[in-house]
């Protein structure tokens, strides 16, 4: 600790110990604690206490029953814990009788302050910090501390209760961790007292069969098996597993969710999963015992395990597929859903759950669909993957939801009534259907998928969110559709689908609901990006009115839609699918008008989103050397940069720098220096072309734009500009010959202008910049230093322990003055 | 209590309720679907329609060719269109005391009832209902009278001939009761019988029942009715709507919160759920703020004009008569408005015209309000909108002045310079123009492409016929059906073959089945009565079990010309006791908390009010003519016998009998009590819960003795 701080500390401790001077801001206390943690991590706590006796005085002060604020009390407890984490200091505090006083019966435990959750939380966190070494264990065991922790597991404050559970896990781990002595004996009497007490408490809780107690015990065990990996875990599980198995006999099953978490945690534990200690049997039994909604997460967890018996995996997959099997059976007259793994039939329990209420049905189906969606891309997913029945189930659910399915049974009829119009299930099913697009299925089913997607896209009753999902699923199916053999164009089915889809898209782009127009445009952008080169798609799109409509939406009243329209039109234009590209005589004029229109958006739109979108389109156009841009790149870049530099939105300015970087790279040649691992030395650009290139940069006013951005009030913009200028310097200076050939340029006016900009006078123009002057300025600027400063967080200047202590003292002083003013 | 069902149409009801000596007609709807069997009445001479071939029987007999014409495979009656009236034979309609009207669509048969059945009662309706109803009737009469048609076909109605006709004429029901449209004179006379009422106003009917209109949220001035006596309550729910006046996103937020409460994992405790829900709600509100005002655009402003539906007052009904649910339960009005706007924009952008067949009031306000917000965003600002109806001007103006009938949102606008409905602004900016007919100014201003709103939705009369003939041949044009009352395919039948596009976007904001089941859960009526159509899924979607009323006990259903005895027992009647009589009563406590008093009084019943008055004093000896007459009126006042209460303990009674010398007492248990048998005296004493009988053969002495023994066990007062 530096001497300045040591000097300030006694005063601060006095303030903290004085109940008449309450601390206004407890973030200060948190910062103070963090500071002490860093100090103790770096050096001896004992020494710290000895050098600063005021700290011990503060802790002693806490012991006196007085009106100390709950915050300071909590802080002191945590501080004591931080110190006692070191064994030497622990002994020192023990001898001073401080620890029993703080954490034992005599401490805040018996005081009125204990009713404040923050004090209880501080007490637990203090103990958590303290329990780092074996010598802490007897202290914990003797002081009755464990009993208090047990009771805090049921605390009214969720934070306290959760921290108490974690503390138990920590203590158990600490007491059983004896790396030198090998695995602990299975006999409990040989275990340390703490471990005996904790395990005894857990056993008692499990036997009690009361849901809150069982939940607490299971949560502690879950955390234990998730975090600790000692050999003693196996012993612990062998001892507790019969009790867990007993829970399974209860009806109703107490704390089913926690039980699932525990079993999965045990199964994932490397110590246990490799050795079979009845775990697989318990898992199988649990799967049978749980209700369909509870069994879903367990089944998913089992299927995600790396190595588990095949039979269990099959059982888990069966459980997961149950609800879908019910749906398929309900919709189909055939006795069993075809294609599902053996034994997966809709059982009566699942059917009852599905039909019990709308929320139960929607909940179970959404959960199942989400689980299967998660499972689908995993390498360890069950094989063979029942793609066809899953597709069938997703289509059937969607049909139930929009009322178009004709159910064959009573169950189907009731499912239909329950699911009709259920937006939540529709969304989940569409997501799942989209995920299934990664693999294909039987042609007949693919046709059904297309039909149901079209139904949803067409239906006026589809809510905007459902419609968005429908568009996303459609896109995934379209992109996964097979190409016709022997040619690179779309297959006939897809073309047919497109012919039906585009009129729907056209109508959706006219929707009065902006979300729908927006989703439609996003879809158009994506599909064009992927298929812009396919003749079939181009033909169908140009024949529809979709491109014209997209352009009209550039003037939409809703800014999100305008932004999406800008992106879509930009993409269409990149692919030569722009609305008027068909008529050759208008070609030039119309294209110019699109560029002008986007520039108009960039310079006049009142909202940020369309302007950002326009910048992105421009950057992409420049990168792809879009025909409009290639005609007169310099004029284009100059106009865009000019518009971007005036923009109030920092993202637009940052995107402007991105565009500038692309232009820079194109002008100066792709930088080899950008790859630090390149074998070749940075390629020297010949001086002649470099000078030309720099003049071009000057003509488009790139330098002015970049320098202005360097002093931007938004840090990301300044950082980006810094990077750009560094790149420019690296590219331009290796040649070395430029300034020598031209003589020393006049950099004074430039630097003066930069100074003024730095001071905040951004209004002044920089005037015409000579490339040489720019290079000279670049060399004179400490860009690396600037980059370092920008990388620091904004409070780095003020962040020091000393300023923290001063601030805290000052606040107290100010409060005093304010009080005086009041009188 | 009986319900006479005079109409089979669930949304155009006409029922008569007999309740406590009153006869109340609930609504007076006119089924106009009969007009679909007739040829359209063209406003301008149509060579196509006038040259249609006459229809002849299979055997070539052409005696009907003047009455029936064949048009693209269908047969139509070539005559003035006729309407199917409510049943008039089921009950003598002259006995109807009052008619309660719930909304302007449900009063179109009024002139037929008030002018031709001997009706002498009163009609009750709210002011907007009457005014807009008058407009609808005026328009109807005008449409039909301005195209006079000499011919009136009646031959085909002959039952024997009708059997020979092709469908749908063959299957048309009650054709003999079909009538031509009423005249304006009849309309005026019918409307003069209406008494205006306000929401929640209590109207006494002969002292027997009280009727009260409640806001139903469906249309301007639309109401549900409560009919109640002191101990019974019948609710009549006609066209109602729950589309609330709140901004749509707030209701969505409440729904989201409600849904999340229901759908959160069951493992979470209540408080955790609450925390999550509060968080979700706050998030939703913030989200709504961020994404801004435009969210509401899709939502129907609808019903928005009318005050929200009053549900609370419907609680505790003994019977709830439920009619007027949505006619298209599978179509969500908001989605349909979206569909309407999209199709309209697509057509107009391609240079086509849009025709919207509609009534001059109701959904058109919704559409205009949506379009007002939509046209600028869709780039349609320069497209003219025409509203053509003989009552267009009055309709647009009326809607702006019924301040107290509007929802709160719109009410506040009445006090601002801004008009409550945006169509005023559309008119000011010349985007919306209205004309009484296609003749006159309209032809000068008309330019295309345009959007025309005009009637009648049946496409059989009105200006719409002209536009169908004019625009039907081009595939650029579109007709968009928004009124749900007529099947659009049947409406289009006489215009086939048709090149113009047809879009069906029926907008019906009335309650759907989900809303009904919520409503029933909330108001908990003892019995629900509804048209039979609501108790089974629609025929076209027989698997949709969600599209029917599901309540416990199951709803009672009715069909046309049926009489329902409502399962409803009247247990109590309220009787007033005059204060002086009440003063004279001396209650005796017979059980803790229960006191009885005997009352001797005269029951006076007048105007369905019952009053107990003190009995007249015993007349002094008569002397003179006047007194004598007075004594004649006085009922005989006999000496009052004491009233008895209590029960007879059989064992003690037997002991008492034995004490009094009856030695051969035998007791038998029966289902209702006991029989005490005195064998020697051949006497039976039958003791039951509420009666005791002594049966002995002509031994009055014995009977009196036994009676006195029995009386010892009972209390007297």
């Amino acid at each position: 600790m530096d001497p300045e701080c040591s000097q300030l500390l006694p005063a601060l401790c006095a303030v903290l110990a004085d109940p008449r001077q309450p601390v206004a801001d407890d973030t200060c206390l948190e910062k103070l604690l963090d500071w002490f943690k860093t100090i103790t991590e770096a050096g001896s706590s004992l020494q710290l206490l000895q050098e600063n006796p005021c700290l011990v005085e503060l802790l002693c002060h806490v012991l006196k029953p007085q009106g100390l604020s709950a915050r300071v009390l909590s802080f002191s407890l945590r501080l004591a814990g931080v110190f006692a984490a070191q064994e030497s200091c622990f002994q020192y505090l023990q001898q001073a009788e401080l620890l029993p006083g703080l954490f034992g019966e005599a401490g805040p435990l018996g005081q009125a302050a204990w009713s404040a959750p923050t004090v209880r939380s501080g007490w637990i966190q203090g103990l958590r910090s303290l329990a780092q070494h074996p010598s802490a264990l007897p202290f914990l065991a003797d002081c009755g501390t464990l009993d208090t922790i047990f009771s805090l597991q049921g605390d009214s404050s969720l934070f306290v209760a959760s921290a108490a559970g974690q503390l138990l896990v920590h203590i158990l781990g600490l007491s059983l961790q004896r790396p030198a002595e090998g695995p602990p004996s299975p006999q409990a009497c040989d275990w340390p007292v703490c471990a005996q007490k904790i395990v005894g408490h857990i056993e008692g809780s499990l036997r009690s069969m009361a849901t809150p107690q069982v939940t607490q015990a299971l949560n502690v065990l879950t955390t234990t098996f998730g975090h600790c990996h000692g050999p003693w875990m196996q012993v612990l599980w062998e001892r507790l597993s019969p009790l867990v198995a007993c829970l399974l006999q209860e009806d109703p099953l107490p704390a089913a969710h926690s039980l699932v978490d525990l079993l999965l945690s045990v199964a994932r534990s490397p110590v246990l999963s490799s050795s079979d200690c009845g775990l697989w049997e318990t898992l199988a039994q649990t799967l049978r015992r749980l209700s369909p909604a509870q069994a879903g997460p367990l089944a998913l967890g089992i299927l995600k395990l790396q190595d588990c018996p095949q039979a269990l995996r099959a059982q888990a997959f069966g459980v997961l597929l149950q609800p879908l099997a019910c749906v398929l059976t309900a919709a189909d007259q055939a006795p069993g859903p075809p294609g599902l793994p053996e034994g997966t039939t809709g059982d009566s329990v699942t059917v009852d759950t599905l039909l019990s209420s709308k929320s139960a049905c929607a909940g179970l189906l959404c959960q199942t669909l989400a689980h299967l969606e998660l499972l689908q891309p995993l390498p360890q997913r069950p094989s063979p993957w029942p793609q066809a029945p899953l597709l069938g189930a997703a289509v059937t659910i969607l049909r139930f939801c929009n009322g178009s399915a004709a159910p064959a049974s009573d169950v189907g009829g009731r499912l239909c009534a329950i699911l009709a119009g259920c937006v939540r299930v529709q969304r989940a099913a569409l997501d799942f259907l989209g995920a299934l697009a990664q693999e294909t299925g039987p042609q007949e089913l693919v046709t059904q998928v297309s039909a149901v997607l079209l139904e949803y896209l067409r239906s006026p009753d589809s809510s905007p969110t459902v419609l968005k999902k429908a568009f996303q699923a459609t896109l995934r199916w379209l992109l996964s559709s097979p190409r016709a053999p022997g040619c690179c164009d779309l297959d006939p089915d897809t073309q047919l689908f497109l012919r039906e889809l585009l009129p729907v898209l056209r109508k959706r782009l006219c929707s009065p609901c902006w979300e729908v127009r927006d989703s439609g445009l996003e879809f158009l952008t994506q599909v064009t990006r992927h298929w812009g080169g396919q003749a079939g798609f181009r033909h169908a799109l140009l024949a529809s009115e979709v491109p014209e409509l997209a352009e009209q939406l550039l003037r939409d009243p809703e800014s999100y839609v305008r932004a999406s329209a800008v992106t879509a039109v930009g993409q269409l234009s990149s692919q030569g699918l722009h609305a008027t590209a068909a008529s050759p005589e208008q070609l030039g004029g119309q294209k110019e008008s699109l560029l002008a229109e986007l520039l108009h958006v960039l310079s006049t739109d009142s909202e940020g989103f369309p302007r950002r979108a326009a910048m992105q389109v421009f950057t992409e156009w420049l990168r792809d050397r879009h025909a409009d841009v290639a005609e007169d790149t310099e004029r284009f870049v100059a106009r865009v940069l000019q518009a971007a530099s005036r923009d109030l939105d920092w993202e637009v300015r940052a995107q402007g720098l991105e565009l500038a970087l692309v232009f820079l790279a194109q002008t100066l040649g792709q930088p080899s220096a950008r790859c630090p691992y390149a074998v070749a030395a940075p390629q020297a650009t010949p001086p002649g072309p470099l000078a030309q290139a720099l003049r071009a940069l000057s003509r488009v006013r790139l330098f002015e734009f970049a320098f202005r951005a360097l002093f931007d009030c938004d840090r990301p913009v300044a950082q980006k500009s810094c990077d750009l200028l560094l790149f420019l310097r690296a590219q331009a200076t290796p040649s070395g010959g430029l300034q020598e050939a031209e003589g020393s340029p006049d950099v004074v006016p430039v630097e003066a202008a930069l100074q003024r900009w730095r001071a905040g006078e951004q209004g002044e123009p920089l005037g015409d910049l000579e490339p040489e002057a720019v290079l000279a300025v670049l060399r004179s600027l400490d860009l690396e230093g600037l980059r370092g400063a920008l990388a620091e967080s904004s409070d780095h200047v003020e962040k020091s322990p000393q300023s923290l202590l001063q601030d805290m003292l000052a606040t107290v002083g100010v409060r005093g003055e304010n009080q005086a003013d009041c009188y | 209590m009986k319900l006479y069902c005079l109409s089979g149409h669930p949304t155009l009801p006409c029922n008569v309720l007999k309740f406590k000596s009153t006869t109340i007609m609930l609504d007076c709807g006119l089924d106009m679907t009969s007009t679909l069997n007739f040829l359209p009445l063209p406003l301008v001479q149509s060579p196509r329609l006038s040259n249609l071939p006459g229809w002849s029987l299979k055997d070539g007999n052409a005696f009907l060719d003047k009455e029936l014409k064949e048009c693209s495979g269908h047969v139509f009656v070539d005559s003035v269109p006729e309407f199917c009236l409510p049943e008039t034979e089921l009950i003598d309609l002259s006995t109807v005391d009052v008619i309660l009207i719930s909304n302007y669509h449900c009063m179109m048969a009024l002139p037929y009832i008030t002018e031709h059945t001997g009706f002498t009662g009163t009609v009750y309706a709210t002011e907007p209902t009457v005014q807009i109803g008058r407009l609808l009737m005026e328009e109807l009469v005008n449409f039909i009278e301005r195209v006079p048609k000499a011919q009136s076909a009646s031959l085909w109605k002959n039952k024997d001939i009708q059997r020979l006709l092709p469908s749908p004429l063959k299957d048309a029901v009650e054709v003999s009761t079909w009538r031509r449209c009423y005249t304006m004179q009849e309309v005026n006379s019918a409307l003069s019988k209406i008494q205006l009422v306000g929401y929640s106003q209590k109207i006494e009917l002969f002292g027997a029942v009280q009727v009260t209109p409640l806001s139903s949220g469906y249309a301007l001035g639309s109401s549900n009715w409560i009919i109640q006596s002191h101990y019974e309550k019948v609710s009549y729910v006609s066209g109602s709507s729950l589309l609330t006046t709140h901004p749509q996103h707030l209701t969505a937020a409440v729904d989201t919160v409600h849904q999340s409460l229901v759908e959160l994992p069951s493992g979470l405790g209540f408080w955790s759920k609450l925390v999550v829900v509060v968080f979700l709600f706050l998030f939703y509100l913030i989200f709504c703020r961020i994404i801004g005002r435009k969210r509401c655009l899709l939502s129907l402003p609808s019903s928005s004009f009318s005050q929200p539906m009053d549900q609370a007052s419907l609680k505790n009904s003994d019977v709830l008569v439920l009619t007027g649910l949505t006619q298209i339960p599978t179509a969500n009005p908001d989605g349909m408005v979206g569909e309407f706007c999209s199709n309209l924009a697509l057509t107009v952008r391609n240079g086509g015209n849009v025709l919207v067949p509609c009534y001059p009031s109701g959904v058109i306000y919704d559409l205009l309000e949506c379009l007002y917000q939509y046209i600028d965003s869709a780039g349609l600002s320069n497209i003219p909108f025409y509203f053509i109806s003989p009552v267009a001007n009055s309709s647009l103006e009326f809607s702006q002045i019924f301040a107290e009938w509007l929802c709160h949102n719109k009410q506040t606008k009445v006090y601002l310079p801004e008009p409550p409905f945006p169509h005023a602004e559309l008119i000011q900016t010349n985007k919306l123009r209205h004309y009484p007919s296609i003749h006159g100014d309209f032809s000068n201003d008309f330019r295309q492409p345009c959007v025309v709103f005009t009637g009648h939705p049946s496409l059989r009369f009105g200006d719409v016929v002209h536009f169908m003939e004019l625009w039907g041949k081009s595939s650029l044009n579109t007709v968009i059906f928004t009124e749900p009352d007529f099947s659009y395919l049947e409406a289009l039948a006489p215009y086939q073959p048709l090149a113009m596009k047809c879009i069906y976007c029926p907008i019906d904001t009335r309650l759907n089945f989900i809303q009904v089941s919520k409503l029933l859960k909330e108001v908990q009526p003892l019995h629900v009565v509804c048209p039979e159509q609501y108790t089974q899924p629609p025929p076209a979607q027989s698997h949709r079990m969600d599209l029917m009323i599901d309540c416990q006990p199951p709803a009672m259903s009715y069909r046309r010309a049926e009489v329902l005895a409502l399962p409803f027992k009247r247990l109590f009647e309220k009787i007033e006791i005059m204060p002086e009589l009440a003063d004279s009563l001396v209650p005796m406590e017979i059980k803790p908390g229960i006191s009885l008093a005997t009352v001797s009084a005269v029951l006076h019943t007048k105007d369905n009010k019952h009053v107990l008055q003190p009995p007249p004093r015993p007349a002094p000896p008569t002397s003179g003519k006047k007194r004598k007459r007075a004594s004649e009126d006085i009922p005989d006042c006999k000496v009052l016998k004491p009233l008895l209460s209590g029960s007879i303990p059989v064992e003690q009674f037997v002991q008492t009998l034995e004490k009094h010398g009856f030695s051969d007492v035998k007791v038998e248990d029966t289902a209702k009590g006991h029989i005490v048998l005195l064998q020697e005296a051949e006497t039976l004493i039958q003791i039951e819960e509420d009666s005791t009988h002594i049966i002995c053969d002509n031994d009055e002495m014995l009977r009196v003795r036994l009676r006195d023994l029995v009386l010892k066990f009972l209390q007297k007062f």
Side-chain angles (χ1 to χ4, degrees), chain A residues 452-465:
Chain A
V452 83
L453 284 173
L454 269 178
E455 270 172 38
Y456 269 81
L457 291 173
R458 269 201 200 116
S459 164
D461 285 340
S462 297
S463 82
T465 50

Short mmCIF file of all heavy atoms in Angstrom, two decimals, chain A residues 452-465:
data_model
loop_
_atom_site.label_atom_id
_atom_site.label_comp_id
_atom_site.label_asym_id
_atom_site.label_seq_id
_atom_site.Cartn_x
_atom_site.Cartn_y
_atom_site.Cartn_z
N VAL A 452 -47.38 -25.82 -46.56
CA VAL A 452 -47.76 -25.24 -45.27
C VAL A 452 -47.07 -23.89 -45.08
O VAL A 452 -47.66 -22.94 -44.53
CB VAL A 452 -47.49 -26.22 -44.12
CG1 VAL A 452 -46.06 -26.19 -43.65
CG2 VAL A 452 -48.39 -25.92 -42.93
N LEU A 453 -45.85 -23.76 -45.57
CA LEU A 453 -45.18 -22.46 -45.46
C LEU A 453 -45.92 -21.41 -46.27
O LEU A 453 -46.14 -20.28 -45.80
CB LEU A 453 -43.72 -22.57 -45.94
CG LEU A 453 -42.77 -23.26 -44.97
CD1 LEU A 453 -41.41 -23.48 -45.60
CD2 LEU A 453 -42.62 -22.44 -43.69
N LEU A 454 -46.36 -21.79 -47.46
CA LEU A 454 -47.13 -20.85 -48.27
C LEU A 454 -48.44 -20.48 -47.58
O LEU A 454 -48.85 -19.32 -47.58
CB LEU A 454 -47.44 -21.46 -49.64
CG LEU A 454 -46.42 -21.19 -50.73
CD1 LEU A 454 -46.82 -21.89 -52.01
CD2 LEU A 454 -46.30 -19.69 -51.00
N GLU A 455 -49.08 -21.48 -46.96
CA GLU A 455 -50.32 -21.19 -46.24
C GLU A 455 -50.08 -20.13 -45.18
O GLU A 455 -50.86 -19.19 -45.03
CB GLU A 455 -50.82 -22.45 -45.52
CG GLU A 455 -51.74 -23.32 -46.33
CD GLU A 455 -52.02 -24.64 -45.62
OE1 GLU A 455 -52.16 -24.65 -44.38
OE2 GLU A 455 -52.07 -25.68 -46.29
N TYR A 456 -48.99 -20.29 -44.43
CA TYR A 456 -48.71 -19.33 -43.37
C TYR A 456 -48.36 -17.96 -43.93
O TYR A 456 -48.75 -16.94 -43.38
CB TYR A 456 -47.58 -19.84 -42.46
CG TYR A 456 -48.13 -20.63 -41.31
CD1 TYR A 456 -48.50 -21.96 -41.48
CD2 TYR A 456 -48.35 -20.04 -40.08
CE1 TYR A 456 -49.06 -22.67 -40.45
CE2 TYR A 456 -48.91 -20.75 -39.05
CZ TYR A 456 -49.25 -22.06 -39.22
OH TYR A 456 -49.82 -22.77 -38.21
N LEU A 457 -47.59 -17.96 -45.02
CA LEU A 457 -47.21 -16.67 -45.59
C LEU A 457 -48.43 -15.96 -46.18
O LEU A 457 -48.52 -14.75 -46.16
CB LEU A 457 -46.15 -16.88 -46.68
CG LEU A 457 -44.79 -17.33 -46.17
CD1 LEU A 457 -43.88 -17.67 -47.32
CD2 LEU A 457 -44.16 -16.24 -45.31
N ARG A 458 -49.37 -16.76 -46.67
CA ARG A 458 -50.55 -16.17 -47.31
C ARG A 458 -51.58 -15.71 -46.29
O ARG A 458 -52.27 -14.72 -46.50
CB ARG A 458 -51.23 -17.22 -48.18
CG ARG A 458 -50.74 -17.21 -49.58
CD ARG A 458 -51.74 -17.86 -50.51
NE ARG A 458 -51.03 -18.23 -51.73
CZ ARG A 458 -50.87 -19.46 -52.14
NH1 ARG A 458 -51.38 -20.45 -51.45
NH2 ARG A 458 -50.20 -19.72 -53.23
N SER A 459 -51.71 -16.46 -45.21
CA SER A 459 -52.84 -16.26 -44.31
C SER A 459 -52.85 -14.86 -43.72
O SER A 459 -51.87 -14.38 -43.17
CB SER A 459 -52.77 -17.26 -43.18
OG SER A 459 -53.63 -16.84 -42.15
N PRO A 460 -54.00 -14.18 -43.83
CA PRO A 460 -54.09 -12.85 -43.22
C PRO A 460 -54.04 -12.93 -41.71
O PRO A 460 -53.83 -11.93 -41.05
CB PRO A 460 -55.45 -12.33 -43.68
CG PRO A 460 -56.01 -13.34 -44.59
CD PRO A 460 -55.24 -14.59 -44.49
N ASP A 461 -54.28 -14.12 -41.16
CA ASP A 461 -54.33 -14.25 -39.71
C ASP A 461 -52.96 -14.48 -39.08
O ASP A 461 -52.84 -14.49 -37.87
CB ASP A 461 -55.25 -15.41 -39.31
CG ASP A 461 -56.69 -15.01 -39.47
OD1 ASP A 461 -56.95 -13.81 -39.50
OD2 ASP A 461 -57.55 -15.90 -39.60
N SER A 462 -51.93 -14.71 -39.90
CA SER A 462 -50.60 -14.92 -39.32
C SER A 462 -50.16 -13.63 -38.65
O SER A 462 -50.17 -12.57 -39.27
CB SER A 462 -49.60 -15.27 -40.41
OG SER A 462 -49.95 -16.48 -41.01
N SER A 463 -49.77 -13.75 -37.40
CA SER A 463 -49.33 -12.54 -36.70
C SER A 463 -47.95 -12.15 -37.24
O SER A 463 -47.24 -12.99 -37.79
CB SER A 463 -49.27 -12.78 -35.21
OG SER A 463 -48.06 -13.43 -34.90
N PRO A 464 -47.57 -10.87 -37.07
CA PRO A 464 -46.27 -10.44 -37.64
C PRO A 464 -45.09 -11.30 -37.19
O PRO A 464 -44.22 -11.61 -38.00
CB PRO A 464 -46.14 -9.01 -37.14
CG PRO A 464 -47.53 -8.55 -36.92
CD PRO A 464 -48.32 -9.75 -36.52
N THR A 465 -45.10 -11.73 -35.93
CA THR A 465 -43.95 -12.53 -35.47
C THR A 465 -43.97 -13.90 -36.14
O THR A 465 -42.92 -14.43 -36.49
CB THR A 465 -43.97 -12.71 -33.95
OG1 THR A 465 -45.26 -13.14 -33.56
CG2 THR A 465 -43.63 -11.43 -33.24
#
